[in-house]
Amino acid sequence: MKRIKHFAFVAATQLALLVGSATNVLGQINDDWVVFQDTTTDMTCDVVNAANAELIVLYDTGVMVVVSGPDVAIEELVVDELNQVFYDGTLAGYIEIAEDGDGLPTVFWTTLTGTLLEINTLTGEPSDSGVMPNERTSTGCDACDYIEQSVHCDSNDSDTQNGNSETPAICGSGAFDTILASMILLPILGLIKNARA
């Protein structure tokens, strides 16, 4: 029984370290973010669409923040003034405007060959998804439809700013931590239960 208690303590400690170091979950986004403009259509958009996530780019630092789900800043992902994306200092794609699957101009994070990047949901590391921008539908454009809390968004009205009254703008708070805790702690609870039986 002592061994199981020790294992549970070690796992709980590792969980706390992982949550604290792997992500930077933001309580509120107070910094300005970049708004991209399509010079051909005059469309403006502040959401960068990856294959499996929506992100914004902080204006002062260029750091990318995942805003689909809990707002998580990925310090290793930085966009420069030429709209090049770097992961840990290595080139990891480009921000560009292309037509999505609904025929609308949309901001995407792409590779040199035009396919979409995707993010590893545990580490933030990007990889080529092989998906083309025109294969992705229902893309996002207004960051306030995704950001959980920001001084720049009216939280009481952000779900209706773009006529999107059925999709709540504030959701999923703490979901990443809950899922991660469940993945680590459920097997431990099973061990403890089996030891008592």
Side-chain angles (χ1 to χ4, degrees):
M1 189 66 173
K2 273 187 175 179
R3 182 187 287 179
I4 292 173
K5 284 183 179 176
H6 175 71
F7 180 70
F9 172 76
V10 170
T13 304
Q14 288 175 339
L15 171 65
L17 290 172
L18 182 62
V19 169
S21 63
T23 63
N24 183 7
V25 179
L26 303 175
Q28 184 177 49
I29 298 177
N30 296 325
D31 296 335
D32 293 330
W33 54 83
V34 177
V35 176
F36 300 91
Q37 182 170 15
D38 181 8
T39 54
T40 305
T41 64
D42 286 333
M43 176 276 300
T44 58
C45 190
D46 47 8
V47 173
V48 177
N49 293 272
N52 64 341
E54 287 79 28
L55 307 97
I56 61 170
V57 179
L58 298 182
Y59 185 81
D60 288 334
T61 61
V63 168
M64 297 185 86
V65 178
V66 177
V67 291
S68 43
D71 300 335
V72 180
I74 304 177
E75 303 289 341
E76 297 84 3
L77 277 174
V78 178
V79 179
D80 70 6
E81 64 278 358
L82 299 175
N83 290 335
Q84 300 176 113
V85 182
F86 292 86
Y87 180 76
D88 263 347
T90 302
L91 185 62
Y94 306 89
I95 306 298
E96 67 173 8
I97 295 172
E99 198 172 276
D100 70 5
D102 298 313
L104 301 171
T106 305
V107 178
F108 288 106
W109 178 16
T110 67
T111 65
L112 185 61
T113 58
T115 53
L116 298 181
L117 273 295
E118 65 183 3
I119 292 181
N120 181 308
T121 54
L122 290 178
T123 66
E125 185 174 1
S127 61
D128 187 349
S129 70
V131 175
M132 296 300 292
N134 62 7
E135 295 178 67
R136 175 123 197 255
T137 59
S138 302
T139 54
C141 195
D142 185 349
C144 287
D145 287 341
Y146 295 92
I147 292 173
E148 291 192 359
Q149 192 174 7
S150 172
V151 295
H152 304 295
C153 299
D154 181 356
S155 60
N156 296 325
D157 194 38
S158 58
D159 58 336
T160 58
Q161 285 181 15
N162 291 323
N164 187 10
S165 58
E166 294 182 15
T167 306
I170 301 175
C171 61
S173 181
F176 177 82
D177 296 347
T178 304
I179 292 168
L180 192 57
S182 299
M183 287 169 47
I184 294 174
L185 296 178
L186 283 178
I188 296 168
L189 294 175
L191 285 174
I192 293 171
K193 183 179 178 184
N194 289 338
R196 288 184 181 165

